[in-house]
Amino acid sequence: MTATTRTASVLLVGNPNVGKSTLFNHLTGARQRVVNAPGTTIGLAEGTWRAGDVDVTLVDLPGTYSLIARSPDEQVAADAVADAGHDLAVVVLDATALSRSLYVLGQVARAGRPVVAALTMTDLAEARGLRPDHDALAEALGVPVVEVNGRTGAGARMLAGTVEEALLTRPHVTGIVPRPPDHVLGDELAHAQQLFDWIEGVTDAALSPEEPRETFSDRIDKVLLNPWAGVPVFLAVIWAVFQLTTAVAAPLMDGAAAIVDGPITGAATWLLEALRAPAWLESFAIGGLIAGVGAVVSFIPLMAIMFASVTILESSGYLARVAVVADRAMRAVGLDGRAMLPLIVGFGCNVPALSATAVLPHARQRLLTGLMVPLTTCTARLTVYLLLAQTFFPGNAGTVVFAMYLVSIALVVLFGLAARRTALRDVQPEPLIIALPDYQWPHLRTLGLGVWTRVVSFVRKAGSVIMVAVAVLWVLQAIPVRGGHDLADVPVQDSVYGATATAIAPALAPMGLDDWHIAASLVSGVAAKEVTVGALAQSYALEDPGSGSTETLGAQVRATVEETSGGAAGAAGLAFMIFVLAYLPCLATLAEQRRLYGWRWTAGAAGAQLAMAYVLATAVFQVGRLL
């Protein structure tokens, strides 16, 4: 007789930076997905975990310091804890900051949830002389306490057995009275002193009176949290990352491009000829899909290196220091250092960065930060920068790309200053309160899983957008508007696509870029910035598909710009990069802005960006060609 498999829903609750998500990744492995919290767009990680004989749906809630919600993320966590549909809460306690973790644990207990405590960071606490007494802590709490290490997996098996048992025994924290069903916020505030007294009693029982010792992290922070040293170190770290991507990624990118241009193109050509496919289909497959998508696929190694670099900085604890160092600068635009975190996310992708503004406590702060996010130069723009930097500045490509990131930061600040002095005068900064985790070596398994997930997400997002965009572009290129050409047998300049781009191109003359290839790529780039490179490759490939030219895309672009700029190709190339940085964000970003802030703010910000990009790019070219 086969026993019926039990199922349960378990919440993973805790402060930010306590190892909660690392533990979640270890317990669930690849069996996880991102879902939206009910009625919101805040992402929750949800995975399956086998706890003994129980199939557990494990939900990783947003990190929070309190269940008295002041932000959408905290509200999601509070609602989930209050939802009786979940069977158990595993509350992650940071051994290096036990009091802060116990505050959340007390609120979970106050909500009436059965609890298991998972104690993390014990090795770091021991280095500080603050390691809690495990048995004394468990006795003071009245619930099971399991020491775990999400990075190594230590304690995971014991946690599984403890959770399995707790689903039957439903342990509750002692010393905390569950709130009544008809409670109000005033009741919670009235019980605050009781909660603080309880926390003090637990810490007195679990911690020795030994004075904390200075740690390696403390000694490093004396340097990195000093603004005079912290800012140069931050710039040096980011510069090193971009030097790494240009030096290491370049040969890998060349290899990926060679695979696309060689075996894949050859195999597709052979197959189409064997099937006696019509000429238009071969043109679509070779000159359209493979040329366009292949140009972006070649940048996958670059994305992997970038994602790995950012993940290392994040998991090591360094990015939290960036918020502290940046706090004074962000206050100039009415924000605090917390706003730096979504802006840093924006350097990966603007769409999740807009969602990340939810951590800010006030709607006007979220609006201001969300309007600044599209000026952070996302990794999709990086594909364009790298092509243009290697084309126009081959000896200094890494430094030029790094300079574009500095320009991006400057534009974010300038845009924020302008917004705060005009439409958003009422935005006021608040004091920054943020926990600084100890520095740690990133765990290779966690690093690999994080990079893999991000690269797969990038490939899926870029691939779906590019496939649709390239298909539309090919149709526009297949319809003739002059010359009496047949359908799908028309020079690009005589097509709807070419005619539209040709009409737009003169507007780019002040930037030294009066050419339909470039105009077409910029229009296509509104769909997705990575399509800019694909559109350039596609327009040159389709212009004369039978020529057999072996010129690289970079060489073709440089020859065009040499002509349109009157010989000032470097200045025009730099203007091209500035315009790509600052003009309209991609459609996905615009759609997310519209959803969060409405059409009025979205259209106003997009128009301001486009005007600013045009003026800046024109100024760069006009001044640069005189130098």
Side-chain angles (χ1 to χ4, degrees):
M1 180 176 178
T2 304
T4 303
T5 301
R6 290 187 292 151
T7 61
S9 177
V10 174
L11 300 175
L12 203 55
V13 189
N15 298 154
N17 301 312
V18 297
K20 178 172 60 65
S21 295
T22 302
L23 176 63
F24 172 82
N25 287 335
H26 181 86
L27 296 177
T28 60
R31 304 177 303 277
Q32 55 185 252
R33 62 195 179 102
V34 176
V35 298
N36 285 340
T40 76
T41 58
I42 295 175
L44 300 177
E46 186 177 279
T48 57
W49 171 43
R50 186 75 174 178
D53 293 328
V54 183
D55 285 334
V56 171
T57 298
L58 191 62
V59 182
D60 183 18
L61 297 181
T64 180
Y65 295 109
S66 173
L67 296 182
I68 301 177
R70 294 201 321 141
S71 74
D73 280 31
E74 291 177 347
Q75 189 64 58
V76 165
D79 290 344
V81 170
D83 184 356
H86 302 291
D87 301 290
L88 182 73
V90 174
V91 180
V92 181
L93 305 180
D94 180 358
T96 66
L98 188 60
S99 296
R100 188 172 63 227
S101 296
L102 287 174
Y103 182 71
V104 171
L105 174 61
Q107 290 181 314
V108 173
R110 178 102 170 104
R113 296 291 79 157
V115 169
V116 167
L119 187 64
T120 64
M121 311 289 186
T122 53
D123 52 340
L124 300 177
E126 188 165 12
R128 289 181 175 270
L130 296 172
R131 182 177 181 131
D133 183 304
H134 174 273
D135 294 335
L137 180 60
E139 183 177 354
L141 294 177
V143 298
V145 177
V146 182
E147 290 189 19
V148 295
N149 187 326
R151 298 166 68 240
T152 65
R157 182 172 298 179
M158 181 175 291
L159 179 63
T162 302
V163 166
E164 181 185 19
E165 182 178 354
L167 288 168
L168 296 174
T169 60
R170 301 182 66 79
H172 288 75
V173 174
T174 57
I176 297 291
V177 179
R179 65 192 177 206
D182 57 348
H183 76 285
V184 294
L185 180 60
D187 295 333
E188 296 303 301
L189 298 177
H191 284 81
Q193 187 58 52
Q194 177 194 12
L195 180 57
F196 292 140
D197 292 342
W198 172 80
I199 293 172
E200 184 177 356
V202 173
T203 54
D204 286 345
L207 294 176
S208 67
E210 181 181 353
E211 286 293 323
R213 296 191 293 265
E214 185 179 60
T215 66
F216 177 71
S217 294
D218 296 329
R219 292 191 290 272
I220 293 180
D221 282 343
K222 289 180 180 179
V223 176
L224 295 187
L225 296 184
N226 183 316
W228 293 103
V231 173
V233 168
F234 171 64
L235 295 178
V237 167
I238 300 302
W239 179 83
V241 168
F242 294 123
Q243 283 294 108
L244 175 68
T245 58
T246 53
V248 176
L252 298 177
M253 292 168 63
D254 292 341
I259 292 174
V260 174
D261 297 336
I264 294 178
T265 299
T269 302
W270 176 85
L271 179 61
L272 290 168
E273 290 177 350
L275 295 175
R276 296 181 180 180
W280 68 266
L281 181 58
E282 183 174 348
S283 172
F284 177 66
I286 305 301
L289 295 181
I290 294 179
V293 177
V296 178
V297 169
S298 65
F299 285 93
I300 289 176
L302 175 65
M303 297 301 134
I305 292 174
M306 279 295 298
F307 288 143
S309 300
V310 172
T311 302
I312 289 172
L313 293 176
E314 183 179 22
S315 60
S316 67
Y318 179 68
L319 283 186
R321 273 74 181 177
V322 172
V324 176
V325 172
D327 185 55
R328 179 172 296 180
M330 297 308 299
R331 287 182 179 279
V333 294
L335 301 169
D336 59 50
R338 286 174 294 188
M340 182 60 74
L341 301 180
L343 293 175
I344 290 175
V345 173
F347 285 97
C349 180
N350 292 171
V351 178
L354 291 172
S355 299
T357 60
V359 301
L360 300 174
H362 300 298
R364 301 294 275 183
Q365 291 180 336
R366 294 195 291 271
L367 172 61
L368 176 57
T369 307
L371 296 182
M372 295 160 62
V373 160
L375 287 170
T376 58
T377 188
C378 63
T379 50
R381 292 182 180 100
L382 184 57
T383 63
V384 188
Y385 297 160
L386 196 60
L387 169 67
L388 298 178
Q390 291 176 337
T391 297
F392 296 102
F393 311 98
N396 300 287
T399 301
V400 170
V401 172
F402 173 65
M404 293 306 301
Y405 280 78
L406 293 182
V407 172
S408 174
I409 294 170
L411 291 181
V412 166
V413 174
L414 290 174
F415 190 90
L417 287 171
R420 193 186 176 198
R421 283 159 175 74
T422 53
L424 294 170
R425 296 186 188 91
D426 56 338
V427 175
Q428 298 296 328
E430 290 189 348
L432 174 66
I433 301 175
I434 188 171
L436 297 180
D438 283 351
Y439 293 100
Q440 302 180 66
W441 288 107
H443 190 255
L444 290 180
R445 183 179 182 275
T446 303
L447 174 64
L449 180 61
V451 172
W452 171 257
T453 302
R454 293 186 183 186
V455 169
V456 169
S457 176
F458 172 81
V459 171
R460 287 176 178 171
K461 174 181 177 292
S464 61
V465 171
I466 290 172
M467 292 293 287
V468 173
V470 169
V472 171
L473 292 175
W474 185 88
V475 170
L476 295 177
Q477 291 162 347
I479 301 175
V481 294
R482 54 177 175 262
H485 303 289
D486 294 331
L487 183 67
D489 184 19
V490 52
V492 177
Q493 279 189 288
D494 292 338
S495 67
V496 173
Y497 179 88
T500 303
T502 301
I504 294 173
L508 305 180
M511 296 181 268
L513 301 171
D514 182 5
D515 179 77
W516 75 269
H517 299 87
I518 295 172
S521 70
L522 291 172
V523 172
S524 302
V526 177
K529 290 297 177 284
E530 56 268 32
V531 175
T532 305
V533 175
L536 277 172
Q538 187 184 43
S539 63
Y540 281 110
L542 289 180
E543 186 174 21
D544 189 8
S547 65
S549 172
T550 59
E551 276 193 301
T552 65
L553 177 59
Q556 291 173 308
V557 172
R558 184 173 183 95
T560 296
V561 175
E562 286 280 4
E563 180 179 349
T564 61
S565 66
L574 194 57
F576 195 170
M577 297 173 72
I578 292 290
F579 193 76
V580 168
L581 161 62
Y583 88 123
L584 296 174
C586 68
L587 290 178
T589 299
L590 289 171
E592 182 69 358
Q593 280 189 315
R594 185 209 62 79
R595 188 188 66 80
L596 293 172
Y597 315 124
W599 277 116
R600 183 172 66 89
W601 285 108
T602 300
Q609 275 191 230
L610 184 59
M612 179 175 63
Y614 191 85
V615 171
L616 287 176
T618 299
V620 165
F621 174 69
Q622 296 298 334
V623 174
R625 70 189 181 95
L626 300 176
L627 300 178

